[in-house]
Amino acid sequence: MTDAQGQPDSDDVRRIALSFPGTEERLAWGMPTFRVAGKMFVTVPDDETSFAVRCPMHERAELIAAEPEKFWVPPHEAGSHWVRVRLAALEDESELRDILADSWQQAAPPRLSETFHP
């Protein structure tokens, strides 16, 4: 649940992710992952202070350059199409929803993504 300062937390990530059509939660690598049509679109690492979402490589570099306090990539994920997001750096739950929806749309099959507008 959003904390006393209005910051989204890992429970908000879970609640919002599960609100998107066709989404299911699965435990993988010891952490919650959220998938649509079998494709992962968000993970919540153990410490629950951040989450990872799909992000095209060219956009990822721009995001990190523009807001390094919010977005980053751990060295072991440098070659992937994922970016980490610090929950404490988010403006509000609306920003969280937008980020999750963008990742969901990248993973969702056309039949779902064409009919759902978060």
Side-chain angles (χ1 to χ4, degrees):
M1 185 70 74
T2 303
D3 72 14
Q5 290 80 38
Q7 287 302 131
D9 63 18
S10 62
D11 290 336
D12 295 313
V13 172
R14 173 176 280 111
R15 178 179 49 79
I16 293 169
L18 289 172
S19 76
F20 299 146
T23 298
E24 64 180 19
E25 181 176 353
R26 283 194 212 156
L27 196 61
W29 308 288
M31 69 179 117
T33 67
F34 299 86
R35 301 162 191 254
V36 59
K39 289 186 178 178
M40 210 167 17
F41 71 94
V42 64
T43 65
V44 182
D46 290 351
D47 68 2
E48 297 186 359
T49 62
S50 68
F51 58 98
V53 291
R54 291 175 169 262
C55 185
M57 294 287 254
H58 65 281
E59 289 180 22
R60 186 173 82 172
E62 293 172 14
L63 284 173
I64 294 168
E67 298 183 89
E69 72 288 347
K70 189 178 294 184
F71 300 102
W72 94 102
V73 176
H76 70 278
E77 294 175 3
S80 73
H81 292 273
W82 290 80
V83 67
R84 297 273 182 109
V85 186
R86 290 179 180 89
L87 282 161
L90 293 175
E91 293 174 25
D92 54 25
E93 191 174 301
S94 178
E95 184 179 25
L96 171 61
R97 178 175 290 282
D98 289 346
I99 292 168
L100 292 174
D102 184 61
S103 185
W104 179 88
Q105 288 174 319
Q106 290 177 58
R111 66 180 164 72
L112 279 179
S113 63
E114 291 170 2
T115 61
F116 180 65
H117 305 284

